[in-house]
Amino acid sequence: MLRVLAVDDEKPALEELLYLLRSDPRVRSAEGATDATEALRRIGRALEAGPDGDDAIDVVFLDIHMAGLTGLDVARLLAGFARPPLVVFVTAHEGFAVQAFDLKAVDYVLKPVRKERLAEAVRRVGDLTGPAPAAQAPAEQIPVELGGVTRFVPVDDIAYVEAQGDYARLHTDEGSHLVRIPLSTLEERWAARGFVRIHRSHLVALGRIDELRLDGGATTVRVGSAELSVSRRHARHLRDLLMRHVRA
């Protein structure tokens, strides 16, 4: 049962959001705040009370454009606390999904808010606040734009990534998605998740490599139906990683 704080400086939008949240059986309580200052004061009380206190908050549903501090500002401030509440952004603007991703938002819901879409965001929050298996890393997701709708793709579903200038194309079993994030950024961020650079243009999930082939001095890997070149500078390191992966 989730304890929710919703923040929006437009009263009708806040009231509609609170109505939808309170209608969800997974939500224990839902309070509202009409600006960032009020929200931070309320969150401060919650953090002082601790996770089991009467004022505790599990998740904050944040509008982005507000007078004074924006929702992004609030999320950055929350990131400085040891155990902040989770954050879901609720906004009429599509262009802040990358910032939301960088700030570890659980979800990014576009206005006008649909009941079914909000229910999905509540489900995602519930999955993160419920008991997790020991030693299991939290599932990371990346926002992608599909026909004006923001979807969150699990990183574990990505087989390989292809550089396209300042963008990166994420390849999954279901298709591909273009995001405005450099390949070098994803390489650093996902190294701990088993992604390895094999070429200046490709980053591959080690566990998704089906075949390593050496042919006349050239090295390639097969990832599903795709055959990708491995540059000379990365070939030996990749072979070593694959051998350790097989032994493990």
Side-chain angles (χ1 to χ4, degrees):
M1 296 289 288
L2 299 173
R3 297 156 296 186
V4 178
L5 177 66
V7 189
D8 197 315
D9 63 351
E10 296 181 1
K11 191 172 180 180
L14 178 60
E15 290 177 347
E16 175 67 14
L17 180 57
L18 287 172
Y19 172 78
L20 292 174
L21 287 167
R22 290 165 180 163
S23 300
D24 193 306
R26 295 163 295 187
V27 174
R28 179 196 301 181
S29 62
E31 299 181 22
T34 55
D35 59 55
T37 301
E38 182 184 354
L40 289 171
R41 188 180 302 116
R42 176 67 184 82
I43 294 167
R45 292 203 307 270
L47 293 174
E48 289 178 4
D52 298 321
D54 293 337
D55 291 325
I57 296 172
D58 299 306
V59 57
V60 182
F61 283 74
L62 268 176
D63 187 22
I64 287 183
H65 278 302
M66 297 186 291
L69 293 176
T70 68
L72 294 172
D73 294 329
V74 173
R76 292 188 186 100
L77 290 171
L78 292 182
F81 291 95
R83 296 185 63 182
L86 299 174
V87 171
V88 172
F89 285 109
V90 182
T91 177
H93 304 275
E94 301 177 7
F96 297 96
V98 173
Q99 291 96 316
F101 171 64
D102 288 339
L103 291 168
K104 310 301 182 187
V106 176
D107 209 340
Y108 191 88
V109 179
L110 290 175
K111 296 178 180 178
V113 179
R114 294 182 294 109
K115 182 178 180 179
E116 296 78 11
R117 182 65 184 87
L118 188 64
E120 172 64 15
V122 172
R123 184 195 65 77
R124 292 177 188 273
V125 173
D127 288 346
L128 291 175
T129 56
Q136 180 176 333
E140 184 178 344
Q141 298 171 320
I142 184 167
V144 300
E145 300 295 325
L146 296 173
V149 177
T150 301
R151 304 289 187 191
F152 281 73
V153 175
V155 173
D156 291 342
D157 289 354
I158 299 169
Y160 68 96
V161 186
E162 178 184 4
Q164 294 189 353
D166 292 333
Y167 291 75
R169 183 168 292 280
L170 315 176
H171 291 267
T172 70
D173 293 338
E174 286 73 35
S176 67
H177 311 281
L178 195 65
V179 295
R180 192 170 186 175
I181 304 175
L183 193 68
S184 57
T185 299
L186 295 179
E187 177 186 8
E188 180 180 351
R189 182 175 293 165
W190 292 348
R193 293 186 173 272
F195 282 80
V196 58
R197 190 74 167 260
I198 64 167
H199 191 273
R200 66 181 181 181
S201 299
H202 289 108
L203 185 67
V204 176
L206 198 65
R208 300 293 290 270
I209 295 177
D210 299 311
E211 182 178 275
L212 175 69
R213 179 177 298 177
L214 304 175
D215 186 7
T219 304
T220 60
V221 294
R222 183 171 59 82
V223 182
S225 61
E227 185 171 317
L228 308 175
S229 296
V230 181
S231 66
R232 290 179 180 271
R233 61 177 295 203
H234 293 105
R236 182 169 182 177
H237 179 58
L238 176 62
R239 289 197 296 270
D240 291 344
L241 286 175
L242 283 171
M243 289 302 295
R244 291 201 293 269
H245 182 70
V246 169
R247 293 193 190 103

